[in-house]
Amino acid sequence: MMLVLFSGCEEQCPAPVAPEIISLEAYPEVHSARMVSDLKSAPWGMVECGFYIGKDKITLERIEGALEGASIVLDLEGLSAETTYYYKSFISNGKNEIGSGFDTFTTEPDPENVDPGPGPDPDPFPAGIESISASVDCLTAVLNATISGDASRITSAAFWFGTDKSRMQSYAAVRNGSRFSLEIRDLEYSTTYYYRIVISNGSMTKESGTASFTTEDAPAKEPDPEPFTAEIESVTVDSGPYQTIISVRLGGNVSQVKKAAIMFGVSEDKMKETVCTVQDGMYYSIFYGLEPGSTYCYYALISDGTTEKRTMTSTMTVPEESSADSLRGGF
């Protein structure tokens, strides 16, 4: 590259520094190109800058550009599509000129003139799998697949399903227009299941990617009920010709008792229940209007709402005497 110093400055001007072209770039499009040539520094005393351009190195056109900072820039229109051009940059002080070396660029092809070539072969299986999903309700899942394209060309469809991606089992899918589905019951809690769908037209198959879902956690187990430890310790019968009192003494965890009763009647198959209130570890009931000399059946029972405990059935006879006697009974 020839190096020429610019001249013409008065004696008081600083010593001129020769500009140096350090790069040359082109950014072509179909009928235009932007050319940029960078200088080592902004030139001093420059009169003109630009580019030489042509389809060969001999017949070049000199076109003035613009200086942007330390770069020579030219936006050129009206170029031929898909054509190679030679170009180089220059800078001048009106007397002397510095130029870069040659470089080339090729404009883009004209899209209107590009031969599209033969069209693609018709798709022998014009159906695709648009999406797959799973609707999960507790331990039941419904697998769904949506088909794009011509779903009528599908002759078979199956979901592959299992807890191991590499060992899934095939289940025939149910068709509903352009959708396929499969309901699966009796799944396990807290388990991840994998699934995908495979469709076929008889000679070709297409399959979706593999998706997954996880079932919900098992509900918290209810604690075992506390053992029913309340007991009937004794049953006492105080009987007279006018009234009879049956008293029941309890032991153990009396607070567990939710029901306390006395069954009483003229025979085992005609006894009626009298529900009582437990107080201070015991409960009782008074029976009036009994026939003197008659025999009655009775037993006591308690319950915690789940378990029931009772005494054996006992009998008592109402005395005929006028004075009250006490009859003690047990179980």
Side-chain angles (χ1 to χ4, degrees):
M1 178 184 298
M2 180 177 64
L3 181 64
V4 179
L5 294 176
F6 288 0
S7 60
C9 193
E10 299 296 333
E11 291 182 1
Q12 66 271 20
C13 293
V17 177
E20 181 181 348
I21 299 173
I22 60 174
S23 68
L24 188 64
E25 298 287 344
Y27 306 93
E29 296 185 9
V30 178
H31 296 294
S32 63
R34 180 179 178 86
M35 289 167 282
V36 179
S37 184
D38 293 332
L39 306 176
K40 189 171 183 180
S41 60
W44 181 85
M46 184 201 75
V47 174
E48 187 181 14
C49 64
F51 292 86
Y52 290 93
I53 184 169
K55 295 181 180 180
D56 56 54
K57 295 182 179 181
I58 306 302
T59 55
L60 298 173
E61 181 180 1
R62 190 174 189 272
I63 303 175
E64 185 176 353
L67 188 66
E68 295 183 0
S71 298
I72 305 168
V73 179
L74 174 62
D75 291 308
L76 192 59
E77 303 286 341
L79 302 178
S80 299
E82 206 168 0
T83 302
T84 299
Y85 289 88
Y86 292 85
Y87 73 106
K88 67 177 183 176
S89 63
F90 72 88
I91 184 170
S92 171
N93 65 355
K95 295 180 179 181
N96 301 298
E97 182 177 291
I98 294 175
S100 69
F102 276 104
D103 203 348
T104 62
F105 66 83
T106 302
T107 51
E108 300 289 333
D110 190 339
E112 296 181 0
N113 298 327
V114 174
D115 183 4
D121 294 332
D123 188 350
F125 190 11
I129 302 167
E130 183 176 307
S131 64
I132 60 172
S133 61
S135 301
V136 184
D137 182 11
C138 193
L139 299 181
T140 298
V142 177
L143 310 182
N144 299 290
T146 301
I147 304 301
S148 59
D150 188 359
S152 66
R153 304 288 289 275
I154 299 174
T155 58
S156 66
F159 281 99
W160 289 78
F161 181 81
T163 57
D164 187 337
K165 289 181 181 180
S166 62
R167 301 180 63 184
M168 293 191 286
Q169 293 184 330
S170 175
Y171 301 88
V174 178
R175 182 197 294 265
N176 182 13
S178 62
R179 295 173 62 88
F180 288 90
S181 62
L182 173 67
E183 183 178 67
I184 301 178
R185 298 174 178 269
D186 300 325
L187 303 176
E188 298 291 334
Y189 285 113
S190 306
T191 302
T192 298
Y193 291 91
Y194 300 92
Y195 65 98
R196 68 175 183 270
I197 191 170
V198 178
I199 59 176
S200 172
N201 67 349
S203 59
M204 298 179 61
T205 61
K206 294 181 179 180
E207 67 178 65
S208 70
T210 299
S212 67
F213 65 85
T214 301
T215 52
E216 64 185 39
D217 295 334
K221 183 180 179 182
E222 300 222 354
D224 293 332
E226 183 181 355
F228 186 30
T229 59
E231 300 288 347
I232 300 174
E233 291 187 343
S234 65
V235 178
T236 302
V237 178
D238 292 325
S239 182
Y242 305 108
Q243 67 180 25
T244 294
I245 303 174
I246 299 179
S247 304
V248 182
R249 172 69 61 180
L250 303 178
N253 189 356
V254 178
S255 65
Q256 293 178 308
V257 177
K258 294 184 178 179
K259 177 183 177 181
I262 297 172
M263 300 296 293
F264 188 86
V266 295
S267 62
E268 289 191 32
D269 60 346
K270 292 184 179 181
M271 288 190 291
K272 294 183 179 180
E273 180 181 84
T274 301
V275 178
C276 308
T277 300
V278 177
Q279 186 173 4
D280 296 330
M282 67 172 296
Y283 66 93
Y284 68 93
S285 181
I286 303 175
F287 299 92
Y288 296 97
L290 305 182
E291 284 289 331
S294 297
T295 299
Y296 294 88
C297 299
Y298 67 93
Y299 67 82
L301 67 87
I302 56 175
S303 172
D304 65 350
T306 303
T307 304
E308 183 176 284
K309 296 181 179 181
R310 53 160 288 183
T311 64
M312 296 180 63
T313 302
S314 300
T315 60
M316 53 81 58
T317 301
V318 179
E320 296 182 356
E321 295 84 9
S322 58
S323 60
D325 293 329
S326 294
L327 177 63
R328 302 273 179 191
F331 61 94

